Amino acid sequence: MIPDSVSCGYSVITVDCRDLEPPEPLVLVLEAIEKLEPYEVVKMLHRHSPKMLFPKLEERKMQTHLKEFEDGSIELWIWKEDK
Amino acid sequence: MRSSGLSLDQAPPEDIPFRFFITAPVFGLLAGSFVLYRGSSLFSSSWSFETIALTHLITLGWVIMVMMGAFYQMVPVLVGGQVPWISFSRLVHALLSLGVIALIGGLLQYSPLLYPLAISTLLLAFIIFLTQLLTALFSVEAKRPIVTAMRISLVSLTFAVLLGILEIGTFSGLWPALLDRTILKSLHITLALTGAVGGLIVGVGFHVIPMFYLSSPFPQQRAVWILRTGMFSLAAVSLSLLLSANSTTLLLVTLPGVLASIIYAATVLRMLQQRKRKVVDATLRFWQIGLLAFPFSLLCLTVSFFWTDERLLFGFGLLFLLGFAVTITNGMLYKIVPFLIWFHRFSSLVGKAKVPLLKDILPEKRTRGQLHFATLALFLLLPGAILQIDGLVRIAGVCWMVSSLWLGLNLMHALRLKPVLYEQ
Ligand code: HEM
């Protein structure tokens, strides 16, 4: 995990799941989310869209933004719901 | 930052795929017992009703059973299709289970009432299943090869089931024969095995091999070529059979399909060889055995066009069904079931409590022993059936029973795991 800073004041926690087998990507992202502060955002990198993760994120009332690339890989941004 | 309106594709309730998955080993156990009981006589003529009964214990009782559970699970999750009337899937399972038993009973001539029962239950099961899945699959975009492969599989299954029902109706005297028995049987087998079973396994492989084994992706262009070639061969073989074409024509239209199967198997085997995580587990071995059996089975079929020897047909049937379809579905169950248990029962606890890993849900030492029995059953049955060595066939039957029972117990072990129990 490499935390870096983004301009809008959020801290980005990068969770790179490209070399992990199921269900490790889900475990890492859900663990990161449990510890997430309101000023932090998780950036998940994965080989494909993590379809099974979305219901779990909704269960935890998280906001998401998905970017899909030509080769099928994705970047998923996750943060806490705006109050 | 804005949310992009993701489609929240929901997995079906866990009991839906699980009820199909846990039923397969029960039919495996029945198939193994039948082989033990009847021995090599089951492999003397493919026209014998006992042989047809054994075939359907495996094809409907095991292969289609697992495939249905997998379709219900994978279509929403892997391809984003919404399966309508999902609770009817429980009825499909009950009807299919009853239908297989009635069909086997009918073929073994226990009672004349069993054929009509088999026809009505199986027809209803497949009508519901195919309506649900065809609706789901034809309402998503076919951008990815897995969608095309699933469509080929379901369309082939539709025709295969119709032909099977047609033949059972004729056997039971409900209606006269509409097609010559040899043509009908060859068409039924081609569509059911290479189209429905082959299509699904090939398509799922494109997707799950990179996902589960961290291999490179299956080359997209090659996947498209394999599917197009397979589809061409399937359609051309079906047409040639209908028109009673000669052996040379059959060979010419079959060869592209055989070539596609060789390229598919070679590509996946190479992807597995070059996977990032060099762990060797039972599921990997199941895939490797299955992938080797696949092209060899089709080669047996091709040779049988010229050399009409029943042994070649049994070689094809055994390699395709036991070597390829049963082996790969067996391996996949070991990947899918622990994952679904983890997903449905433990994922909500991540970050809050200790959750088990997949290898805690189904330890490798349990699966490896079963792999050995499954492999032994295959390697004993092949020579036993082809060379008509009765003792070997019966020992293979016992291995098959042990293997199925072991698989069933392994799945039960995983299914019994609940968060409360785990925390104790
Ligand atoms: C409703 C479903 C089905 C029915 C009623 C049915 C019925 C039949 C019948 C009556 C035969 C004997 C044909 C003959 O000898 O004239 C047969 C053969 C066969 N069927 Fe099916 N079938 C069904 C589904 C399937 C499926 C799904 C598969 C494969 C996945 C399959 C694989 C086979 C094979 C391999 C044979 C050849 C068996 C042998 O030569 O002993 N069937 N089927």
Side-chain angles (χ1 to χ4, degrees):
Chain A
M1 253 181 251
I2 318 149
D4 37 292
S5 290
V6 285
S7 55
C8 55
Y10 276 106
S11 281
V12 180
I13 301 179
T14 305
V15 185
D16 187 348
C17 303
R18 285 172 298 185
D19 283 347
L20 300 179
E21 60 184 316
E24 286 169 19
L26 271 65
V27 174
L28 286 195
V29 170
L30 293 175
E31 274 176 357
I33 278 162
E34 280 305 314
K35 291 183 259 162
L36 204 67
E37 300 290 344
Y39 56 85
E40 286 175 330
V41 53
V42 168
K43 178 170 114 184
M44 175 196 197
L45 305 176
H46 201 16
R47 300 182 304 272
H48 54 82
S49 175
K51 291 240 161 55
M52 307 287 273
L53 179 63
F54 296 128
K56 298 289 151 193
L57 294 177
E58 202 195 19
E59 229 173 62
R60 288 164 165 82
K61 306 223 176 330
M62 304 304 290
Q63 294 277 13
T64 53
H65 177 80
L66 178 72
K67 259 166 103 176
E68 288 183 277
F69 302 102
E70 271 293 288
D71 63 352
S73 66
I74 61 106
E75 205 178 275
L76 177 66
W77 295 80
I78 310 161
W79 68 100
K80 285 203 164 148
E81 197 168 42
D82 304 328
K83 289 272 155 60
Chain B
M1 231 183 269
R2 284 191 319 106
S3 170
S4 61
L6 296 164
S7 65
L8 293 170
D9 310 299
Q10 290 282 355
E14 62 163 38
D15 72 286
I16 290 183
F18 287 164
R19 67 181 61 222
F20 287 92
F21 296 161
I22 196 68
T23 311
V26 177
F27 281 106
L29 189 62
L30 285 176
S33 329
F34 195 36
V35 172
L36 170 67
Y37 172 53
R38 299 297 293 145
S40 61
S41 72
L42 285 173
F43 305 96
S44 48
S45 160
S46 68
W47 299 97
S48 127
F49 279 22
E50 287 197 337
T51 308
I52 302 170
L54 174 67
T55 309
H56 290 83
L57 276 175
I58 308 166
T59 54
L60 290 174
W62 180 303
V63 181
I64 292 293
M65 195 63 82
V66 177
M67 275 175 59
M68 280 188 173
F71 262 117
Y72 284 127
Q73 177 62 39
M74 290 186 312
V75 167
V77 173
L78 292 189
V79 304
Q82 292 302 315
V83 180
W85 320 291
I86 190 71
S87 49
F88 277 96
S89 322
R90 300 185 179 100
L91 180 64
V92 171
H93 169 262
L95 288 169
L96 176 68
S97 307
L98 183 63
V100 182
I101 295 168
L103 178 69
I104 306 306
L107 286 164
L108 299 178
Q109 289 161 8
Y110 286 135
S111 155
L113 294 178
L114 287 170
Y115 276 147
L117 179 65
I119 292 177
S120 39
T121 45
L122 289 173
L123 204 54
L124 195 56
F126 279 102
I127 288 176
I128 303 174
F129 170 76
L130 289 165
T131 312
Q132 285 175 305
L133 269 298
L134 286 168
T135 312
L137 269 179
F138 280 90
S139 53
V140 293
E141 261 186 280
K143 271 193 300 193
R144 284 182 299 155
I146 185 173
V147 181
T148 315
M150 284 179 161
R151 287 181 181 175
I152 297 174
S153 170
L154 287 179
V155 173
S156 309
L157 185 62
T158 310
F159 287 109
V161 165
L162 283 177
L163 291 167
I165 299 273
L166 213 57
E167 187 71 339
I168 291 294
T170 310
F171 286 175
S172 59
L174 284 174
W175 48 72
L178 296 181
L179 267 176
D180 169 72
R181 186 171 168 192
T182 313
I183 297 179
L184 187 144
K185 183 177 158 183
S186 316
L187 258 179
H188 173 70
I189 299 178
T190 306
L191 289 164
L193 296 188
T194 54
V197 179
L200 181 66
I201 295 181
V202 165
V204 168
F206 292 147
H207 198 87
V208 300
I209 297 290
M211 184 166 87
F212 281 130
Y213 300 97
L214 299 183
S215 72
S216 53
F218 196 102
Q220 179 92 0
Q221 284 307 316
R222 200 177 305 171
V224 172
W225 179 85
I226 286 172
L227 289 180
R228 285 197 185 143
T229 312
M231 218 165 15
F232 161 78
S233 269
L234 187 61
V237 170
S238 305
L239 203 64
S240 313
L241 289 171
L242 263 178
L243 301 174
S244 305
N246 59 22
S247 305
T248 316
T249 314
L250 270 177
L251 176 74
L252 284 177
V253 290
T254 308
L255 276 182
V258 178
L259 184 68
S261 77
I262 296 174
I263 293 178
Y264 174 79
T267 310
V268 178
L269 284 169
R270 200 178 156 79
M271 282 160 61
L272 288 173
Q273 199 64 37
Q274 296 174 341
R275 70 197 183 282
K276 285 195 189 132
R277 246 190 210 181
K278 297 286 181 210
V279 183
V280 176
D281 63 8
T283 71
L284 181 84
R285 294 285 181 241
F286 277 116
W287 264 102
Q288 287 169 325
I289 297 169
L291 286 167
L292 285 174
F294 182 37
F296 279 108
S297 71
L298 296 184
L299 281 173
C300 278
L301 180 69
T302 315
V303 178
S304 76
F305 295 147
F306 288 94
W307 187 6
T308 38
D309 187 326
E310 283 261 288
R311 283 174 297 183
L312 279 168
L313 286 179
F314 279 113
F316 160 66
L318 287 173
L319 279 171
F320 193 96
L321 281 172
L322 274 199
F324 170 61
V326 168
T327 305
I328 288 185
T329 47
N330 192 150
M332 286 306 295
L333 285 177
Y334 283 150
K335 280 284 184 202
I336 300 174
V337 170
F339 178 76
L340 290 180
I341 297 278
W342 182 88
F343 177 77
H344 285 289
R345 301 184 188 172
F346 295 98
S347 60
S348 303
L349 299 174
V350 172
K352 299 171 185 143
K354 189 170 172 282
V355 291
L357 303 170
L358 293 197
K359 59 176 188 292
D360 302 324
I361 296 178
L362 199 46
E364 172 70 8
K365 65 176 190 306
R366 284 181 163 265
T367 54
R368 191 154 282 273
Q370 193 251 322
L371 163 74
H372 293 148
F373 272 93
T375 317
L376 203 59
L378 175 66
F379 286 107
L380 292 177
L381 196 54
L382 266 175
I386 290 169
L387 306 173
Q388 286 286 302
I389 309 170
D390 192 62
L392 216 53
V393 171
R394 288 181 205 259
I395 300 173
V398 175
C399 293
W400 194 352
M401 287 169 70
V402 175
S403 160
S404 302
L405 189 66
W406 200 326
L407 170 66
L409 292 175
N410 282 348
L411 297 181
M412 287 300 292
H413 169 82
L415 292 181
R416 273 204 297 262
L417 208 64
K418 297 254 163 58
V420 191
L421 285 180
Y422 187 76
E423 276 168 3
Q424 275 172 0

